[in-house]
Amino acid sequence: MADRRRMSLGASIRGLGYHTSAWRHPNVLPGASESLSHFTEAARIAAAAKFDMVFFADGLAVRGNDRPAGALSHSHENVELEPTTLLAALAVQTRHIGLVATASTSYNEPYHVARTYASIDHISGGRAGWNAVTSWSEQEALNFSREAHYDRETRYERADEFIEVVRKLWASWEPDAFMHDRKTGRFYDPEKLHAADHRGHFFRVRGPLTSSHTPQGQPVIFQAGDSERGIALAARHAEAVYTIPQTLEDCIRHRKAMDTAAARFGRAPGSVRILPGVQIVTGRTEAEVAEKLMLYDEIADPVIAMARAWSEYGDLSGYDLDAPVPADLQSSDRVSAMRHLGERAKAEGWQLRRLLREYGAGSLRVLAGTPDKIAAEMQEWFGSGACDGFNILPQHLPGGLADVTELVVPILQERGLFRREYEGGTLREHLGLPAAAAVG
Amino acid sequence: MADRRRMSLGASIRGLGYHTSAWRHPNVLPGASESLSHFTEAARIAAAAKFDMVFFADGLAVRGNDRPAGALSHSHENVELEPTTLLAALAVQTRHIGLVATASTSYNEPYHVARTYASIDHISGGRAGWNAVTSWSEQEALNFSREAHYDRETRYERADEFIEVVRKLWASWEPDAFMHDRKTGRFYDPEKLHAADHRGHFFRVRGPLTSSHTPQGQPVIFQAGDSERGIALAARHAEAVYTIPQTLEDCIRHRKAMDTAAARFGRAPGSVRILPGVQIVTGRTEAEVAEKLMLYDEIADPVIAMARAWSEYGDLSGYDLDAPVPADLQSSDRVSAMRHLGERAKAEGWQLRRLLREYGAGSLRVLAGTPDKIAAEMQEWFGSGACDGFNILPQHLPGGLADVTELVVPILQERGLFRREYEGGTLREHLGLPAAAAVG
Ligand SMILES: Cc1cc2nc3c(=O)[nH]c(=O)nc-3n(C[C@H](O)[C@H](O)[C@H](O)COP(=O)(O)O)c2cc1C
Ligand SMILES: Cc1cc2nc3c(=O)[nH]c(=O)nc-3n(C[C@H](O)[C@H](O)[C@H](O)COP(=O)(O)O)c2cc1C
């Protein structure tokens, strides 16, 4: 164990990268989002830099509305590997790095999710994590025999019960339940088996799970969703959250809200690790950074930027791009983090053009600069206690990730902010998390 | 391509083996059913012998009733790896062998199944197969918010629509849909994208799938379920069936019924590959075989045999074990293949003791003898046209599989009945199957 607090780093390596037109980058293979070797390479880059984990977002549909018409065909975010099978394959190709994948609580069954992630924990020797989300897209509903997506309240109620069931299932077998006593013929001790016997509003699940106590006791639970309900969910169940705050102040607010909410479940401040996502663009010199940004601007496709904005605000084509973001723009409010970007744009008096540019660049939070500058900002956030580390969202893969591991990570290591070697073998150990607690 | 018809061989390597007390075998590690290395070893044994595939049965519950009381705690069939994550891990550790896993159409959503198997097909370079079953156990219902299992008719209606949806989803993208045209910004050609737009009785699924055309076009569809409805389902959708006939005559009947049913969908005789499962026990000499059988008898646990029989017939403890199987025994009829075993016992005038012994040995079909005898029987079945190969169910793993690959396979190869080298790279090629057709 380290004697001082270190930051955690995740590499979010879904698809081709977080720039909405990453596929047009000269160093990106446009077909790579279904190629295992692409992800193996990215995971190995992250593992060589001793990252805590690789992280996969997910969606259960080709998402996005085709407005303006034809916009979807410009997007590379349509085909991909299913993330739990991908994690299992990566488990074999890596040794230490944590393996986290997103699964929706709105369009899954808790028995399947409990089973799949337990299996990955066994296969990987204790490196599995589940990012529980409630999904944001209407399109997913249409793939699961529904006419419309659940409203936020229902989604979060279902999510709360869903995670409760998963945790109960993971606790089906005590660690020493299996006696394997050849003489008596007793394979397990029935006293150490606990059916979930869950009868709730959304689910009735008897259990037990077809998985023994996993190497981590239970896979690490992440949560992503920034609304009040999202925070309440995490406060009860999550061990880490993935969030996209626009500013340091937002992140500090998030931390405080989380600690307050967690206290209601008897959890100490800081129990829930906070890992903001950040799209980093870096290079050896200011000039190199500028060059990279210019290239990202060049490949950015205005059709995609418009489509993203359309999903959030409706048709913006009648607006003056050089005027400030109109005060009356109404967010669809599907994802709180997206609404926050628009609020920031208004508060800071951005031109509409800049907001659209952010949508083209990925609509999350872009941090660009030389490695020193990036490291300093990470240190500021981390040092202030706002967060416990970062989820790195490379603009293109694997190049954008390699930039961070080659240029930024060594500075963090020199400053004692990040590990030089793995000190444990499980994701739980990387994150400094205790053994999992029973459902509260 | 071979100029003469060769048989297909699958290795069914679920858990510790098909003997119900395999865990008590001296060469078995009782904890191995959650250990990746155990399955890697078995898969490599099968791959070295050029098997078409490894095959995983599955269940979504700790199945079986705890009667007589405490019986379940004698069974090793309670914890296991989830099979699709296991396949993905094995995909990385093997190069040629096909990878088939079972998924229930009763307790899944077609979008998930389509996505997961497509992903495995991409990860493995075209080696994925899906064994579609309707599930047989009440326990599964209780893990998925139902009070009872669907009746057979409903199960099969749902299965039919389920597989139809999966096949439509797999056809979402034409093989050349992705243009990746950096200049125009067109990632794909919208004309080559086809949403499933399925609106049926059980499912409404819009699609498209988040997976491009897979290396095999679509993963190979297997079906297992021997009733008339099961055969009708396979006739429409399956490319291979896994079945447990008790006798050669049964198998020939199955083949004829399948060909007749398939003709209704315009499919030529033999379109659906028939692969009977068989539990092989072999050794270098008759004495060695006898010794192995004796060991299996020794480890067999009467509690388990009784529990299996109880699930099928209720409490048999009042019956005389040395009397013939009573004519009035009523099968639960959950699984047609199990009912057939009882029918055979009655027809052949077995003592009840022998029927119980079969339950203890795995309740499927055990073929014991020297390699010559085994090979001769396999040749007879294959040569008669009753079947296209076999799914080998080893009594214990990996030893029971190695016996078959070391002793029996060389004889089949010498006789030109089985390949010496892989001739293709995909499961579809191993099975000699054509490219997948559109949903009929
Ligand atoms: C950082 C972050 C990552 C997310 N990742 C996913 C994802 O991978 N898949 C998904 O369906 N939803 C994802 N979500 C969205 C959640 O599904 C959630 O439903 C949505 O944010 C609306 O809830 P909220 O207002 O609480 O954020 C993510 C949200 C955040 C903030
Ligand atoms: C050879 C064979 C293998 C089977 N494998 C499975 C399995 O792995 N999981 C499962 O739930 N059911 C399995 N089944 C059972 C099917 O789920 C089916 O529901 C059951 O056999 C009842 O239908 P039937 O009467 O048509 O056979 C299998 C059946 C057969 C004949």
Side-chain angles (χ1 to χ4, degrees), chain A residues 16 23-26 28 30-31 34 36 58-62 72-76 78-86 88-89 92-93 107-109 111-112 115-116 119-120 122-123 139 142-147 173 178 180-188 190 199 202-212 301, chain B residues 16 23-26 28 30-31 34 36 58-62 72-76 78-86 88-89 92-93 107-109 111-112 115-116 119-120 122-123 139 142-147 173 178 180-188 190 199 202-212 301:
Chain A
L16 306 176
W23 70 276
R24 295 170 92 187
H25 192 284
V28 168
E34 292 181 300
L36 178 60
D58 191 43
L60 295 165
V62 175
L72 271 182
S73 71
H74 287 236
S75 169
H76 62 264
N78 32 56
V79 289
E80 64 187 347
L81 296 175
E82 185 282 327
T84 63
T85 43
L86 176 51
V92 176
Q93 298 180 306
Y107 303 108
N108 269 303
E109 288 284 336
Y111 201 87
H112 286 306
R115 199 168 178 243
T116 300
S119 185
I120 298 172
H122 280 294
I123 289 172
Q139 282 82 4
L142 304 180
N143 288 337
F144 291 89
S145 299
R146 286 182 56 85
E147 299 298 328
W173 304 87
F178 295 91
H180 301 155
D181 185 344
R182 283 191 169 91
K183 270 186 235 128
T184 61
R186 272 286 179 84
F187 193 77
Y188 65 81
R199 303 187 72 85
F202 295 92
F203 306 106
R204 293 190 308 284
V205 180
R206 198 185 62 162
L209 193 62
T210 56
S211 166
S212 69
D301 186 333
Chain B
L16 306 177
W23 70 275
R24 294 170 93 186
H25 192 284
V28 168
E34 292 181 300
L36 177 60
D58 192 43
L60 295 166
V62 175
L72 272 183
S73 72
H74 288 235
S75 169
H76 63 263
N78 32 54
V79 291
E80 63 186 350
L81 296 175
E82 185 282 327
T84 63
T85 44
L86 176 51
V92 176
Q93 297 180 307
Y107 302 107
N108 268 304
E109 288 284 336
Y111 201 87
H112 286 307
R115 200 168 177 242
T116 300
S119 185
I120 297 171
H122 281 295
I123 288 172
Q139 283 82 3
L142 304 181
N143 288 338
F144 291 88
S145 299
R146 286 182 56 85
E147 298 298 329
W173 304 87
F178 294 91
H180 300 155
D181 185 344
R182 283 192 168 90
K183 270 185 235 128
T184 62
R186 271 287 178 82
F187 192 76
Y188 66 81
R199 303 187 72 83
F202 294 93
F203 305 106
R204 294 190 308 283
V205 180
R206 198 186 62 164
L209 192 62
T210 56
S211 167
S212 68
D301 186 332

Side-chain angles (χ1 to χ4, degrees), chain B residues 7 370-380 408 411-412 415 417:
Chain B
M7 66 170 69
T370 54
D372 268 328
K373 192 188 138 194
I374 305 279
E377 180 144 347
M378 289 170 80
Q379 182 163 13
E380 187 193 356
V408 180
I411 303 178
L412 300 173
R415 298 188 188 169
L417 293 166

Side-chain angles (χ1 to χ4, degrees), chain B residues 14 18 55-60 63 102-104 106 131-137 140 149 152 155-156 223-231 241-245 275-277 333-340 364 391 393:
Chain B
R14 183 187 195 194
Y18 280 83
F55 189 101
F56 291 93
D58 192 43
L60 295 166
R63 297 179 293 188
T102 297
S104 167
S106 295
N131 180 37
V133 302
T134 62
S135 295
W136 52 261
S137 95
E140 297 188 30
H149 194 19
R152 185 180 270 113
R155 253 147 67 189
Y156 274 112
Q223 181 272 352
D226 287 339
S227 63
E228 221 174 288
R229 283 300 273 122
I231 290 173
V241 298
Y242 168 33
T243 170
I244 313 269
L275 302 172
D333 198 25
R334 290 174 313 164
V335 181
S336 300
M338 295 284 252
R339 198 188 69 225
H340 298 155
L364 301 172
N391 209 4
L393 318 175

